[in-house]
Amino acid sequence: MAKVTKKVKRIKIDADKCNGCRGCEIICSAYHATPRYSTINPARSRIRVITNRLEDIWLPVFAGEYTAAECLGRDVYVIDGKEYDECGFCRAVCPSRDLFKDPDSGLPLKCDMCEGEEIPQCVQWCLNDVLVYEEREEEVDEEFEITMAEAGVDSLINQYGLDKVADMVARRRKDR
Amino acid sequence: MRYAEVGYNLEIDLATGNIEREETDPGLIAAHLGGLGTSVKIHWDRVGPEVKAFDPGNLLIFSSGLLNATPAYSANRTVVTFVSPQTDLLAYPMMGGFWSAELKHAGYDKVILSGKSPDWIYIWIDDGKVELRDASHLLGRGAVETQTLIQEELGDRNIQVAAIGPAGENRVFTASIEQGRSSASRLGGGAVMGDKKVKAIAVRGSKDVYLARGAEFMNHMKAVTEYVNFRNANPIPDVMTILSGIGSPQEMVHTDEKWHTENFMWGNARTRRREFWTDEISDLWASRQHAAIKRLISCYNCPQHCGALISYGDTPRYMAKCFGKLTYAMAAYVDDLDFSWRILRQATEYGVDSFSTPQILAFAVELKEAGILTDADFEGCPEDNEGRFFWLLEKVAKREGIGDVLADGVYYAARAIGNGAEEFDHNTIKKHEQLPLKLGTLDPLYFLMYSTNEKISITQIEGNWPQAAFPSREQRETFVKDWPQLPEETWKEWLLEWEIRGEKAIPYWPTPDISAKIVDWMEMLHNIDDALCICAGMASFCLKPPYHIHNYHLLISAAAGVDMSEEDVKKIANRNRNLHRAYNNRRGMTRADEKPPEDHWKRRFPELEEELLTTYYAHKGWTYDGIPTRERLEELDLKYVADDLEQRGILHHG
Ligand code: SF4
Ligand code: SF4
Ligand code: SF4
């Protein structure tokens, strides 16, 4: 397979510094609204702060890939005496839970690292330096990357079946 | 389309269980902004002066403000309004935390509760759907544990719950409404909620909130962000640590309590302990604090961290903020912060205000020592200071024995007990317990703030003007050099001239005229914050804050799409304050009520005080009695208020 250079964008999460403000959720949802900054809704954010206040858990988690099927097993982490939620560290948009699904359409949300911005919005907005942005270049095999649109189509197919979605697309094509 | 606000209130008639989603008038933003402003208007329209705190007609309103749920930092207050059982006036304690933004995302600006529920319930607002649920199994449960129990019952930890504890259930006049790390504490909101048999309001929302001109709004927020970063990196020199930063007082961070423990009074606002803060105490208290604080936390969308998760030995966990850390220890004369962390947890579960309650307990101890309360009243009470406070707290929260009379607060308890007890009520204004401060020379600014504000609690009136003169000219020059928050450049002169001794010092400087202007400005800032539901810690309550009179109108205009100038915002704040004032006047409040405790200052100046009050009233456009004139009311488009006050004979024609 051919090699290409890929920019790896990384956000380091220093969860110990998180004060639980949820500002990252607010700004992410505002940034991804159309038009930009026209609406606010943490439920549409691609970062969620998993919170269990009395247990001292404030854990920012980013929305990752859409998955059609849930894992066969579950994990529960205990770190420093704190028990995190089942699948607590997982980024997946998974049928087993509501996390990272658009509240209206149910379609998956995915962190796109604020494509086009020099520094992701949540990183800029978090004044407590919990989220720290880093970038590096890496040689990788050329591969097929799943885009947001594709993830959306996948999720539609899973929800309504391939035939229905294909029909819908065909109908739309005719309408145009 | 509605911007910044949602445009709907939730109306619940608790007596019938009728629930309505009421669209609000879009014109209200231009008239009152929102938050406290629009809530006061509802009380004015619907709750007459004959309605008492525990009448079914008393409304209990939980309100978000215009900027909650927008990206404006620290816009997270919930303002709770009701006729107070303690003052019989319109109270408006506010809480930070996470509740108000959630309410907006659930599709409502306010929750308006009327009537009384026949049975104990809690209210569940689930994204627009509303349910009144049985709360009988929650009776007697603590305000903190109730929040967790409801989250568990509804199966979602992200539900925000505002709850009362046993004190609220028992209508204790200092009962608070607790929510996460915050509480709406003063003046008995918890008691009114308990009287209505509402144990809690739980909220969850996932709807959009709209910004009219989002990109423009974010542009203004960029400047605010830069200033927040600047202020966090550059504390103000030459003032006490606690006043040097932004945010609410950083009581969970700072361990140096020399100033509070040696300048505030111990007991029932009684004793000043000037030599208290020894090295030994300093070490002990720092270690206790570090042992207690698990993590510093903030309210919704705020970069500061004024609150803390408290995990102290065997004491079940809870969250704390602010001055409650000191109030119980100081009131009880306990020299160890260990006591604070333990009793504060108990007090938070009972759900009581940690400013007024400790003073009530200390008042009871004094009455016992003076022989006015007897052994019989204290039967079963431990002898030691700590044990006695725990015992008294329980009696008050449960209204048992002597606690029943104490639960009405110092003012009423003193009169009910009689036999000289009135003498021990020496720290209330308008029947409400004040901070335990007793000082030397009358301060004209503080005299006005203590006497006149509708808030009836000094900490939520003061803020932008330094608390005391700087000793040297050089320090003053440094302070005024970079002070963009000031309404006018010329005001800097007043600070530059302000000395700590001599003619240009308190009580004569600032002069009555200047004092009126400064106080008016500080109050106005609080009124704006309270309408937007921005935390005063990032605006009206602190020196050189990120939000101020020169940038608020930009944020409001961009968020709500209602173009406003600085003058417009000032006028609205003025309108809101005058409406609130008139509401309280209608309930009988006059000049006679506007006075700090006799012993608040050692050196009083009766003539100057009269002049201060008269000058301030005149500046506000009020009569000699402190009632807004028709002229002022009409200027503020409040003709209907003038008519009403005249009809009732409160304002005299001509
Ligand atoms: S903005 Fe930062 S501090 Fe606030 S919740 Fe997000 S990660 Fe935590
Ligand atoms: S990087 Fe951008 S898309 Fe990803 S969570 Fe942060 S703000 Fe949202
Ligand atoms: S400044 Fe403090 S009290 Fe105010 S909103 Fe922020 S964290 Fe809360």
Side-chain angles (χ1 to χ4, degrees):
Chain A
M1 215 179 270
K3 293 275 182 194
V4 289
T5 339
K6 181 174 162 191
K7 205 192 272 176
V8 179
K9 301 174 173 180
R10 184 167 100 150
I11 295 175
K12 200 172 97 192
I13 304 152
D14 190 349
D16 285 340
K17 285 191 194 154
C18 178
N19 70 358
C21 72
R22 301 177 62 195
C24 46
E25 298 181 3
I26 294 166
I27 204 66
C28 178
S29 74
Y31 180 78
H32 288 87
T34 332
R36 193 156 279 177
Y37 303 123
S38 59
T39 60
I40 295 94
N41 189 354
R44 291 188 208 284
S45 169
R46 292 123 205 257
I47 178 172
R48 293 314 296 268
V49 185
I50 312 284
T51 306
N52 191 343
R53 293 180 193 143
L54 292 176
E55 294 304 318
D56 188 30
I57 290 174
W58 278 271
L59 180 70
V61 174
F62 291 83
E65 298 300 333
Y66 166 77
T67 168
E70 56 194 77
C71 299
L72 290 176
R74 297 283 190 272
D75 53 39
V76 176
Y77 283 82
V78 180
I79 305 171
D80 252 355
K82 293 186 261 183
E83 182 170 320
Y84 288 79
D85 286 348
E86 197 172 276
C87 311
F89 291 87
C90 179
R91 305 164 61 126
V93 187
C94 166
S96 76
R97 59 184 187 182
D98 285 339
L99 200 66
F100 302 131
K101 288 175 189 157
D102 185 278
D104 295 334
S105 64
L107 289 174
L109 300 163
K110 181 182 164 187
C111 167
D112 60 1
M113 295 299 259
C114 294
E115 195 64 61
E117 290 288 310
E118 212 171 295
I119 299 176
Q121 292 280 309
C122 56
V123 172
Q124 289 184 44
W125 199 254
C126 176
L127 303 188
N128 285 297
D129 298 332
V130 176
L131 309 175
V132 180
Y133 183 64
E134 294 162 350
E135 240 177 49
R136 65 167 191 275
E137 300 213 321
E138 235 172 45
E139 292 257 294
V140 291
D141 291 338
E142 195 171 19
E143 63 174 77
F144 180 70
E145 277 211 45
I146 299 186
T147 62
M148 288 275 279
E150 282 168 285
V153 173
D154 280 352
S155 133
L156 283 175
I157 291 170
N158 281 308
Q159 232 172 318
Y160 303 105
L162 179 60
D163 290 348
K164 266 206 182 132
V165 175
D167 280 357
M168 236 155 56
V169 173
R171 260 205 314 278
R172 288 285 185 288
R173 183 175 286 147
K174 249 198 272 166
D175 292 346
R176 303 237 153 166
Chain B
M1 176 76 78
R2 305 288 285 264
Y3 297 106
E5 60 177 0
V6 176
Y8 289 91
N9 290 338
L10 176 61
E11 290 264 2
I12 303 178
D13 179 343
L14 294 162
T16 61
N18 187 46
I19 299 168
E20 302 283 343
R21 177 170 174 262
E22 299 274 359
E23 188 166 0
T24 56
D25 171 4
L28 283 171
I29 293 186
H32 299 286
L33 287 177
L36 177 63
T38 40
S39 288
V40 171
K41 172 80 171 118
I42 295 170
H43 288 281
W44 174 272
D45 289 344
R46 291 171 49 182
V47 186
E50 68 291 345
V51 176
K52 298 290 169 195
F54 297 142
D55 288 346
N58 192 13
L59 294 182
L60 178 65
I61 305 182
F62 286 71
S63 181
S64 63
L66 189 62
L67 292 185
N68 292 129
T70 73
Y73 287 126
S74 319
N76 50 45
R77 262 39 198 174
T78 304
V79 56
V80 186
T81 47
F82 51 90
V83 170
S84 159
Q86 193 178 41
T87 61
D88 195 36
L89 302 171
L90 183 65
Y92 61 110
M94 313 187 71
M95 56 190 172
F98 293 77
W99 198 88
S100 51
E102 202 70 39
L103 180 69
K104 273 179 141 175
H105 287 301
Y108 301 104
D109 292 312
K110 297 181 199 284
V111 178
I112 303 170
L113 304 180
S114 60
K116 296 189 190 196
S117 170
D119 304 302
W120 280 97
I121 53 149
Y122 75 87
I123 300 166
W124 168 216
I125 305 168
D126 181 13
D127 243 345
K129 288 197 307 279
V130 181
E131 213 184 311
L132 308 183
R133 295 173 64 103
D134 172 42
S136 51
H137 58 301
L138 298 169
L139 277 197
R141 304 309 284 260
V144 181
E145 59 171 342
T146 296
Q147 298 172 46
T148 311
L149 287 169
I150 288 177
Q151 288 168 341
E152 280 169 3
E153 182 171 313
L154 299 173
D156 182 352
R157 220 174 32 228
N158 295 314
I159 292 168
Q160 306 297 339
V161 186
I164 56 170
E169 292 171 21
N170 296 321
R171 307 197 305 182
V172 172
F173 285 12
T174 58
S176 60
I177 299 164
E178 301 284 331
Q179 174 244 143
R181 49 135 291 169
S182 304
S183 59
S185 300
R186 303 297 180 90
L187 299 167
V192 175
M193 193 157 154
D195 181 60
K196 295 191 176 304
K197 290 212 167 94
V198 176
K199 178 73 178 169
I201 310 181
V203 167
R204 186 83 168 102
S206 64
K207 294 176 193 293
D208 293 341
V209 169
Y210 298 87
L211 288 178
R213 304 194 294 266
E216 180 188 320
F217 184 85
M218 292 310 295
N219 233 356
H220 295 309
M221 280 311 296
K222 227 182 235 163
V224 172
T225 308
E226 273 163 29
Y227 198 73
V228 169
N229 284 331
F230 168 78
R231 282 291 279 107
N232 279 332
N234 296 281
I236 294 173
D238 306 321
V239 295
M240 277 178 285
T241 323
I242 201 108
L243 299 175
S244 64
I246 52 174
S248 292
Q250 300 295 297
E251 283 296 319
M252 299 296 128
V253 181
H254 301 310
T255 54
D256 181 357
E257 290 296 353
K258 180 177 168 62
W259 191 81
H260 278 130
T261 53
E262 293 189 351
N263 285 284
F264 280 54
M265 308 304 267
W266 292 65
N268 175 31
R270 201 56 82 178
T271 319
R272 189 158 165 196
R273 299 173 71 188
R274 285 172 204 270
E275 307 290 320
F276 175 75
W277 196 254
T278 59
D279 287 349
E280 204 181 312
I281 290 279
S282 170
D283 289 347
L284 176 70
W285 283 37
S287 75
R288 296 289 195 222
Q289 188 159 329
H290 293 138
I293 289 178
K294 187 86 185 152
R295 182 191 292 247
L296 296 170
I297 53 180
S298 75
C299 307
Y300 190 69
N301 195 23
C302 182
Q304 306 305 110
H305 23 62
C306 311
L309 170 63
I310 307 296
S311 173
Y312 189 71
D314 304 338
T315 307
R317 286 183 174 181
Y318 63 105
M319 286 167 273
K321 77 275 170 191
C322 212
F323 198 51
K325 176 182 113 185
L326 297 180
T327 50
Y328 285 97
M330 289 181 68
Y333 294 104
V334 173
D335 294 0
D336 189 340
L337 213 51
D338 162 78
F339 170 67
S340 294
W341 301 121
R342 289 186 291 112
I343 196 163
L344 194 54
R345 184 263 162 185
Q346 195 60 50
T348 310
E349 286 288 18
Y350 284 142
V352 286
D353 173 24
S354 61
F355 277 72
S356 42
T357 312
Q359 286 191 44
I360 298 170
L361 310 186
F363 160 81
V365 171
E366 274 192 351
L367 293 188
K368 171 78 177 8
E369 281 162 359
I372 296 171
L373 287 179
T374 63
D375 284 345
D377 295 318
F378 276 70
E379 207 192 311
C381 177
E383 292 289 316
D384 63 303
N385 291 0
E386 299 191 12
R388 194 161 51 188
F389 251 52
F390 271 107
W391 185 86
L392 278 167
L393 177 63
E394 184 180 351
K395 295 284 156 201
V396 168
K398 297 185 174 165
R399 276 193 182 273
E400 286 170 0
I402 188 64
D404 191 22
V405 76
L406 294 170
D408 288 351
V410 168
Y411 176 90
Y412 286 110
R415 277 140 196 89
I417 295 165
N419 202 12
E422 295 93 331
E423 290 295 306
F424 294 78
D425 165 25
H426 74 125
N427 201 41
T428 56
I429 298 176
K430 295 169 190 160
K431 308 187 177 73
H432 180 57
E433 297 78 7
Q434 301 295 314
L435 270 189
L437 264 171
K438 300 291 168 189
L439 301 162
T441 302
L442 175 97
D443 179 320
L445 298 174
Y446 277 82
F447 170 80
L448 286 178
M449 291 189 283
Y450 271 115
S451 304
T452 62
N453 202 275
E454 288 2 283
K455 189 84 197 185
I456 318 185
S457 155
I458 191 71
T459 48
Q460 291 160 52
I461 307 161
E462 59 184 344
N464 267 245
W465 189 264
Q467 290 191 1
F470 292 98
S472 78
R473 177 87 193 180
E474 211 185 343
Q475 289 171 326
R476 289 170 222 155
E477 271 163 8
T478 312
F479 186 85
V480 302
K481 203 163 38 195
D482 169 30
W483 199 5
Q485 293 84 355
L486 216 52
E488 290 173 47
E489 277 291 302
T490 51
W491 289 29
K492 289 183 176 174
E493 238 1 86
W494 303 340
L495 191 98
L496 288 169
E497 288 179 41
W498 195 18
E499 306 274 354
I500 52 171
R501 251 170 238 103
E503 269 171 35
K504 289 255 170 118
I506 59 166
Y508 298 110
W509 191 269
T511 63
D513 219 27
I514 298 173
S515 294
K517 287 189 179 124
I518 295 174
V519 169
D520 179 51
W521 167 57
M522 286 203 275
E523 292 172 342
M524 176 187 65
L525 297 171
H526 279 275
N527 273 119
I528 299 170
D529 288 350
D530 299 349
L532 305 177
C533 284
I534 293 258
C535 170
M538 296 295 262
S540 49
F541 184 60
C542 73
L543 293 167
K544 302 189 178 180
Y547 295 113
H548 48 82
I549 193 65
H550 306 305
N551 64 10
Y552 262 150
H553 66 289
L554 302 171
L555 289 162
I556 296 166
S557 303
V562 178
D563 283 313
M564 281 186 202
S565 66
E566 210 173 298
E567 286 312 310
D568 294 333
V569 174
K570 285 183 185 168
K571 187 172 177 181
I572 297 171
N574 208 353
R575 179 181 299 130
N576 290 348
R577 173 70 196 288
N578 274 275
L579 186 59
H580 199 152
R581 182 80 193 181
Y583 189 82
N584 283 341
N585 291 144
R586 198 163 79 165
R587 301 190 68 83
M589 191 184 78
T590 68
R591 185 181 183 112
D593 301 300
E594 310 235 85
K595 45 174 194 271
E598 258 340 290
D599 62 354
H600 187 78
W601 292 282
K602 232 189 245 124
R603 289 173 287 283
R604 300 288 293 256
F605 300 81
E607 271 171 42
L608 175 64
E609 290 173 22
E610 284 300 302
E611 190 192 340
L612 276 162
L613 208 52
T614 306
T615 311
Y616 168 85
Y617 284 172
H619 181 77
K620 295 296 265 191
W622 298 348
T623 66
Y624 176 83
D625 275 330
I627 294 151
T629 58
R630 171 170 285 279
E631 195 188 350
R632 175 53 47 100
L633 291 169
E634 287 188 358
E635 254 169 52
L636 297 169
D637 316 311
L638 295 173
K639 181 177 176 300
Y640 64 95
V641 175
D643 293 345
D644 182 281
L645 292 181
E646 260 176 28
Q647 245 168 41
R648 292 175 192 273
I650 294 164
L651 197 58
H652 302 287
H653 192 64

